[in-house]
Amino acid sequence: MTDRPVRTRYAPSPTGNPHVGNIRSALFSWAYARAHGGQFLLRIEDTDRNRFIEGAVEAIMESLRWLGIDWDEGPDVGGPKGPYFQSERLHLYREAAERLLASGRAYRCFCTPERLDALRAAQAAAKKPPGYDGLCRAISPAEAETRGKDEPHVIRFAMQREGVTVLRDVIRGDVVFENALQDDFVILKSDGFPTYHLAVVVDDTAMEISHCIRGDEWISSAPKHIQLYEALGWQSPEWAHLPLILGPDHKKLSKRSGDTALLDYRDRGYLPEAMVNFLALLGWSLDDHTTILSVEDLTRNFDLARVVPNPAVFDIERLNFLNGHYIRTMDEKRWVGLVGEWADRGLPPSVPRPLDERVIRAAAPLLRERVTVLSEIPGMIAFLFTYDAPEYETTLLTERVGAAATAVRVLDEALLRLDALPGERWTPEAVETALRGLEEPLGMKLRKFIAVLYVAIMGRPTGIPLFDSLGILGRERTLARLRAARARLG
Ligand code: GLU
């Protein structure tokens, strides 16, 4: 255990819109800092210029902000250990590389890309693991120094060749790596940019990171980092490699199984608190039974001791469940606001703006029990905002009741009874009584034939509660839509 003040970081590469799996690392690092009175940093690892994507830094910050993850130091807010873009810290990596050269733990490598390709091919043919064979280690430092003045080269770290390197991982315990299986990796590229391995060690040290909490894909790099710390005489942080996230098929999470950009989930109508709750439980738990937890539960109680090493399963059904839960339990005012916002965003431009606030307010409680993701809202209430009958395939009218003749009888009977209900008595209760009166003459239960009415009114066989909807829609529009449906059936 370290007695250093807790400082954690999220260190994304700006290679696109961060995916949910990656954001889980940010969430855990942040929660650890917050739960232990520490600080959380955002550092942009932009040393791979070929993979840099315009707008990615903004997308990273927007993703974090959406979830309520704040950072004490970072590219926008600055801080005492900045700059927080690696591309602005190149001199630090060069200094570290020079120190390693001077102490004999690094060397200049002049191997051409062609030689490295040939080496890789030969290793593949011999079914040997790929890796640099250490050829340039044999060049004397003096010769290398001279050649280095005008020959393109990289700087490689000289790994220990004997013995083992032990990763003491808070989550996994000790993981032992045979040094003989490691190779001399590049720390500084020919363009003067560091590789991730050198940069992460230099920056985590300079930024006084106490806990390196990152995805499990970095475990195999850990021996490189541990040896770099040793060679530079620096204290390594505590290591915590988070469990893999698997898709519902128990295969590595892929785009198809849900590992898409976090912001896509926002745009599809997931709530940030549902997402935080969902991501928090991908590998961590509060206790052995809590499934609903708030951001405060997380930032108060998060501990690496309750992160399990075995893979977590990304189950979209669980996220849907949580989203529905937060929709049903949020306060009324926020819910009405969200309904208005999503309706405004999703209803066609032909619907006049601003949207009728009374309709929004009346529809909001009806939507609560039925919406899983907010993007469903416009489709479910579009019928309340139009004067014309909705568009639908005529076959939808008859689908649930079988015969067209039955649908005709349903519509005729409904028209008869609702026509008899005067405007001043037009309430959801009165509408319900009138429509329940159909059960007897039709000789079937309401739930059998109600789909016909749904389609006529909303253009879809199910939706928000019908009687309340007709209450909002009013007598004239209701009768017009039933007549239009009847006319379609001839
Ligand atoms: N830049 C690395 C990434 O994009 C950071 C890994 C780490 O957290 O050390 O995943």
Side-chain angles (χ1 to χ4, degrees):
M1 275 297 285
T2 171
D3 47 11
R4 294 198 255 171
V6 169
R7 282 170 63 86
T8 63
R9 85 303 192 272
Y10 173 48
S13 302
T15 52
N17 230 319
H19 281 201
V20 279
N22 197 265
I23 288 289
R24 195 243 349 223
S25 300
L27 183 71
F28 281 22
S29 297
W30 173 74
Y32 188 81
R34 293 292 171 255
H36 294 83
Q39 283 156 331
F40 175 68
L41 284 67
L42 174 61
R43 177 175 75 226
I44 304 297
E45 303 210 324
D46 59 345
T47 56
D48 192 345
R49 307 310 285 171
N50 299 323
R51 293 178 62 222
F52 183 85
I53 300 273
E54 207 57 58
V57 176
E58 290 68 28
I60 288 165
M61 294 196 198
E62 203 177 326
S63 301
L64 298 177
R65 285 197 191 106
W66 180 57
L67 294 183
I69 298 176
D70 58 341
W71 50 99
D72 305 294
E73 296 170 31
D76 55 336
V77 293
K81 308 288 179 197
Y84 296 89
F85 282 102
Q86 286 189 328
S87 58
E88 296 170 14
R89 305 170 61 82
L90 298 183
H91 62 286
L92 293 170
Y93 314 127
R94 170 145 300 274
E95 269 162 40
E98 300 282 353
R99 270 187 57 202
L100 292 167
L101 279 176
S103 67
R105 284 308 303 275
Y107 59 92
R108 293 187 161 83
C109 170
F110 302 92
C111 290
T112 59
E114 293 72 38
R115 171 166 196 274
L116 297 175
D117 284 347
L119 179 64
R120 220 169 290 131
Q123 285 164 337
K127 297 207 165 28
K128 284 200 184 137
Y132 183 62
D133 60 359
L135 182 75
C136 291
R137 249 204 216 204
I139 303 174
S140 76
E143 183 193 336
E145 172 100 42
T146 320
R147 280 178 64 183
K149 293 211 162 58
D150 38 37
E151 240 182 275
H153 64 279
V154 299
I155 296 178
R156 288 185 186 271
F157 182 68
M159 285 290 272
Q160 306 283 11
R161 284 180 164 159
E162 278 96 49
V164 294
T165 302
V166 181
L167 162 68
R168 307 225 111 97
D169 193 280
V170 187
I171 299 170
R172 281 151 213 271
D174 287 359
V175 186
V176 179
F177 297 87
E178 292 285 338
N179 289 341
L181 300 177
Q182 304 289 325
D183 74 334
D184 293 348
F185 57 95
V186 176
I187 53 176
L188 213 61
K189 296 179 268 185
S190 52
D191 61 3
F193 275 73
T195 56
Y196 163 67
H197 305 304
L198 179 64
V200 73
V201 167
V202 168
D203 286 344
D204 281 352
T205 303
M207 296 180 180
E208 294 173 9
I209 298 302
S210 62
H211 294 73
C212 173
I213 302 171
R214 61 184 178 186
D216 100 309
E217 70 272 25
W218 298 110
I219 286 189
S220 59
S221 303
K224 297 183 171 69
H225 304 162
I226 293 168
Q227 287 203 25
L228 272 171
Y229 276 105
E230 282 165 6
L232 287 159
W234 294 341
Q235 184 189 350
S236 67
E238 297 282 315
W239 303 102
H241 290 91
L242 302 176
L244 198 67
I245 304 177
L246 300 179
D249 52 1
H250 288 250
K251 296 208 181 94
K252 196 172 165 5
L253 192 64
S254 64
K255 239 185 166 137
R256 262 192 40 226
S257 51
D259 191 23
T260 52
L262 179 82
L263 294 177
D264 287 350
Y265 284 89
R266 176 195 65 183
D267 298 344
R268 274 156 58 195
Y270 288 94
L271 296 165
E273 61 267 44
M275 202 58 177
V276 166
N277 191 154
F278 176 71
L279 293 177
L281 296 175
L282 289 180
W284 176 77
S285 57
L286 180 63
D287 48 37
D288 58 7
H289 58 272
T290 304
T291 52
I292 303 287
L293 48 96
S294 65
V295 136
E296 291 73 32
D297 292 329
L298 181 67
T299 50
R300 240 180 266 136
N301 301 296
F302 184 85
D303 203 3
L304 293 169
R306 285 201 68 91
V307 177
V308 288
N310 42 313
V313 174
F314 186 101
D315 177 3
I316 190 80
E317 289 310 324
R318 180 193 269 267
L319 177 59
N320 288 339
F321 163 80
L322 289 169
N323 213 51
H325 167 80
Y326 286 106
I327 285 176
R328 286 190 297 281
T329 51
M330 75 171 64
D331 77 65
E332 182 69 23
K333 202 161 163 243
R334 179 173 170 216
W335 177 241
V336 173
L338 283 172
V339 170
E341 188 186 314
W342 281 80
D344 189 43
R345 191 188 309 178
L347 288 173
S350 54
V351 176
R353 304 299 201 277
L355 298 174
D356 188 340
E357 195 50 44
R358 280 167 316 177
V359 176
I360 297 286
R361 247 178 288 130
L366 308 179
L367 285 162
R368 271 227 211 209
E369 294 294 324
R370 282 165 184 77
V371 167
T372 304
V373 289
L374 305 176
S375 52
E376 294 165 356
I377 290 173
M380 289 179 115
I381 57 173
F383 73 97
L384 291 173
F385 291 91
T386 49
Y387 279 88
D388 304 329
E391 282 176 24
Y392 53 87
E393 296 284 336
T394 304
T395 51
L396 259 191
L397 281 170
T398 58
E399 219 161 59
R400 299 273 172 106
V401 286
T406 315
V408 167
R409 279 179 56 215
V410 172
L411 290 167
D412 282 344
E413 289 283 345
L415 272 164
L416 200 67
R417 273 152 214 268
L418 290 176
D419 204 14
L421 189 62
E424 62 282 4
R425 282 183 34 224
W426 189 270
T427 61
E429 297 71 31
V431 167
E432 173 165 6
T433 309
L435 293 179
R436 288 219 179 267
L438 296 180
E439 294 187 336
E440 210 177 308
L442 291 173
M444 61 174 98
K445 290 276 176 214
L446 181 81
R447 66 181 148 71
K448 283 272 311 192
F449 63 80
I450 200 164
V452 179
L453 304 174
Y454 263 105
V455 174
I457 300 297
M458 306 184 190
R460 50 206 284 170
T462 55
I464 59 174
L466 184 69
F467 311 132
D468 294 286
S469 299
L470 298 188
I472 303 172
L473 203 58
R475 185 174 189 276
E476 295 320 312
R477 281 195 290 169
T478 300
L479 294 178
R481 287 178 194 196
L482 294 176
R483 284 191 195 105
R486 178 64 184 82
R488 279 172 178 247
L489 295 173

